[in-house]
Amino acid sequence: SAMRAWGLWVRAGLRGKGEASARGEPARGFVLAAVLGLPAALPPGERSELRRAGLGHLVAVSGMNVAVAALLLRAPLLRLGLLLGGSTALACALTWLPVAAYVGLTGAAAPAVRAAVMFTLVQVGVLVGRPAHGMTSLALAAAVLLAWWPAWARDPGFHLSLAAMAALLRPVGPGESQPGLIAQSWQVTWATAPIGVWHF
């Protein structure tokens, strides 16, 4: 697709610039690797150390990166859009476009695209005045991704991303309190463990 091709082209240019700017600067290299998913910005020794420690995912752009970017951008850009035109549609477009650009810039991996699609569904909910339903949004996002790029049906990142989100969005029963951060981490770990064993 055009977005994926554009992202890969820009990413190739960024990889070269990232390697050049991070040479001799390990901290800068780690930031570039973690924010833009450019592990080549890290020296080979550090990449190997991260992999051995089981922390290789820190330098791969995931749905979490997109979610953090969306949360940071959403409130100020919504305000800006409302100030510029007073239109909710303009405000939502202003918050959606940078997120879509970021996903393309990082190479449009399945987990990042899944997060962007779910963010878009939240924005659509704002426009129509209805809150988005988590599990429904996840199912719709999965269907959109597979329709757009059917090969993702075999992608480990796609499987792990869906399983992690399903664990986080699991409906809470009557009288049951929302799990805390540690409990959520354990739920995600157990939900994704069988997929990790299967693929890796």
Side-chain angles (χ1 to χ4, degrees):
S1 74
M3 183 184 192
R4 191 175 176 86
W6 175 81
L8 292 173
W9 177 74
V10 173
R11 190 177 163 88
L14 281 174
R15 184 178 287 114
K17 289 179 182 174
E19 286 178 24
S21 68
R23 203 164 284 130
E25 297 275 352
R28 181 183 293 175
F30 183 78
V31 170
L32 281 170
V35 172
L36 294 176
L38 294 173
L42 285 172
E46 290 191 19
R47 291 202 299 269
S48 299
E49 285 176 16
L50 282 173
R51 277 197 298 271
R52 279 198 302 270
L55 298 173
H57 62 281
L58 293 178
V59 292
V61 172
S62 66
M64 184 187 73
N65 297 67
V66 176
V68 169
L71 286 172
L72 290 174
L73 292 169
R74 188 170 187 263
L77 288 177
L78 274 174
R79 287 194 190 95
L80 177 63
L82 291 171
L83 284 172
L84 288 176
S87 160
T88 310
L90 173 62
C92 287
L94 277 178
T95 59
W96 180 80
L97 289 172
V99 171
Y102 175 63
V103 170
L105 192 65
T106 58
V113 177
R114 190 268 314 148
V117 170
M118 291 187 73
F119 177 68
T120 302
L121 293 173
V122 169
Q123 297 296 86
V124 170
V126 170
L127 284 176
V128 300
R130 292 185 61 184
H133 181 262
M135 292 300 277
T136 304
S137 297
L138 180 61
L140 186 53
V144 167
L145 262 67
L146 290 175
W148 181 37
W149 200 266
W152 275 336
R154 299 187 303 273
D155 183 77
F158 177 74
H159 300 158
L160 290 166
S161 181
L162 290 184
M165 281 308 298
L168 291 173
L169 296 172
R170 181 184 64 85
V172 176
E176 189 182 350
S177 61
Q178 285 286 352
L181 189 60
I182 293 174
Q184 285 183 333
S185 297
W186 273 109
Q187 287 171 1
V188 169
T189 299
W190 285 108
T192 55
I195 298 168
V197 169
W198 174 263
H199 284 291
F200 307 113

